[in-house]
Amino acid sequence: VISKNGGLGYGVNFRNDRLESNNLGDRTRNVFTGNLEYKLYLWDEKIKIVPGASFNFYSDFGTYTLYGLDASFSITKNLAVFGNTGTTYRIPSYTELYYEDRSNLGNPDLKPEEAFNYEAGLKYINKVYFLQASYFNRAGTNIIDWVQTPVQVDTMLVNKWKPGNITDLPIQGVDLSAVIQMGKLSFLRPLRTLRFSYTFIDGNAIQLPNETSRYALEHINHQINIASQWSILKTLKFSTGYRFIDRVTMDPYHVWDFGFVAHYKKFRVTAQINNAFNTEYAEFSKVPMPGRWAQFNVRYQWSK
């Protein structure tokens, strides 16, 4: 539905989830979602306001209604200030609800996680540069985490990891990003595109007393991503990717990736090298990540 100064958007979705598992059991879930938003444009579209709401029904968790608001104001043709706020939630996974083995025990009494978020920032865009800086804040409640819990097994008490709504997690931070179309700067022709992003997160998990958390202290403090795309002659393209991640209570790490694409007549040769310097590191939940690995592909296109 469109009017002179805006438009109304809406949508509905229904799905039925079925799970058959030796460990998780036979489960079924009906989900209904309805979305509604209105886009409002004012002052020759210099001001954009988008309020919205989402109605969600889960047959095993009940009804949740979420609200959100996006707004922006164009200060100049290229510079704008923006902000958004809203509520979110996450229902527990089947693993968190029902999984069981020698060391872990699901919790069918879990409640969904909930959070209230807001963000504000500046954005600058022209033919060469995209620059953005923002501050964000998220107040999470009923955050699910796995904790050491005494469980009765036959005649013994055994400690197992069991999930619970044990954590409130307020976080705040800043996010910086830039994309530069270097190919449009005549003195840097081979370098086509340069991308950069930096995120800082200040989090403070508030747990119940005497709880030993598995994941609460593994959120990211600092993250840097840098990517570039190069065009050498007309037949060879080269890309690089670099990321640095520093998590709370975990060792920081640096990872480099490289990619190549070459064209010769009807041949196309591609190569991708991930974790090129074979860095040893672990991601969230301390899962070890792969070392150096490479892909190589040759393609030939037959004439018609």
Side-chain angles (χ1 to χ4, degrees):
V1 180
I2 300 176
S3 66
K4 179 180 179 181
N5 295 319
L8 178 67
Y10 54 87
V12 295
N13 179 68
F14 175 81
R15 75 172 192 266
N16 173 261
D17 298 335
R18 298 184 64 87
L19 172 69
E20 296 180 5
S21 168
N22 292 335
N23 189 298
L24 302 177
D26 295 340
R27 312 290 174 184
T28 184
R29 171 186 293 158
N30 294 318
V31 182
F32 174 81
T33 302
N35 299 296
L36 182 69
E37 70 172 26
Y38 184 76
K39 297 181 179 181
L40 179 63
Y41 305 98
L42 301 172
W43 202 8
D44 293 330
E45 298 191 5
K46 290 183 178 180
I47 297 177
K48 298 180 182 179
I49 302 174
V50 185
S54 175
F55 172 84
N56 305 269
F57 170 77
Y58 288 80
S59 57
D60 49 351
F61 284 98
T63 300
Y64 292 85
T65 303
L66 308 177
Y67 305 94
L69 176 68
D70 292 342
S72 65
F73 171 64
S74 297
I75 301 172
T76 68
K77 179 182 177 180
N78 304 109
L79 181 65
V81 58
F82 67 90
N84 59 75
T85 185
T87 55
T88 61
Y89 77 106
R90 182 184 76 87
I91 65 170
S93 68
Y94 284 120
T95 298
E96 293 167 331
L97 291 168
Y98 306 115
Y99 183 78
E100 183 175 358
D101 62 19
R102 295 178 59 184
S103 303
N104 303 277
L105 179 65
N107 182 358
D109 297 323
L110 288 173
K111 300 177 182 178
E113 299 179 343
E114 299 183 40
F116 174 74
N117 316 279
Y118 64 86
E119 180 184 19
L122 287 169
K123 182 185 300 183
Y124 179 85
I125 304 174
N126 66 16
K127 293 182 179 180
V128 178
Y129 301 100
F130 170 86
L131 308 173
Q132 180 173 302
S134 64
Y135 166 83
F136 58 86
N137 189 293
R138 182 179 189 272
T141 58
N142 286 331
I143 303 301
I144 296 171
D145 201 354
W146 295 71
V147 297
Q148 285 284 327
T149 306
V151 177
Q152 187 75 37
V153 178
D154 296 327
T155 60
M156 301 174 55
L157 277 179
V158 178
N159 280 335
K160 287 192 175 186
W161 291 103
K162 183 177 180 179
N165 298 101
I166 63 138
T167 305
D168 287 349
L169 184 58
I171 65 172
Q172 61 179 342
V174 295
D175 185 73
L176 307 174
S177 59
V179 179
I180 306 175
Q181 302 297 334
M182 307 297 287
K184 295 182 179 180
L185 302 174
S186 59
F187 60 94
L188 288 171
R189 285 291 184 185
L191 178 56
R192 307 301 296 174
T193 307
L194 182 64
R195 300 175 182 270
F196 168 84
S197 66
Y198 168 73
T199 302
F200 166 72
I201 298 176
D202 177 21
N204 182 23
I206 303 172
Q207 298 176 246
L208 297 177
N210 303 319
E211 300 283 10
T212 303
S213 165
R214 177 184 282 182
Y215 301 132
L217 297 178
E218 293 186 5
H219 67 267
I220 291 173
N221 263 355
H222 303 276
Q223 177 172 276
I224 298 173
N225 288 281
I226 303 174
S228 67
Q229 293 180 327
W230 302 72
S231 182
I232 303 172
L233 302 175
K234 293 184 178 180
T235 58
L236 178 63
K237 295 182 180 179
F238 174 65
S239 64
T240 68
Y242 165 80
R243 64 187 183 275
F244 166 79
I245 293 182
D246 179 20
R247 294 183 182 272
V248 179
T249 71
M250 296 178 66
D251 293 333
Y253 62 85
H254 309 259
V255 175
W256 283 90
D257 303 323
F258 299 99
F260 306 85
V261 179
H263 295 269
Y264 179 72
K265 295 184 178 180
K266 297 181 180 181
F267 285 94
R268 175 185 170 93
V269 179
T270 61
Q272 181 71 34
I273 304 173
N274 295 308
N275 193 4
F277 300 110
N278 205 31
T279 300
E280 294 184 5
Y281 68 102
E283 272 289 2
F284 186 74
S285 74
K286 298 182 174 63
V287 175
M289 301 304 290
R292 181 191 303 112
W293 63 281
Q295 291 179 303
F296 182 77
N297 179 272
V298 179
R299 180 184 299 176
Y300 178 81
Q301 182 176 349
W302 296 93
S303 298
K304 294 183 179 181

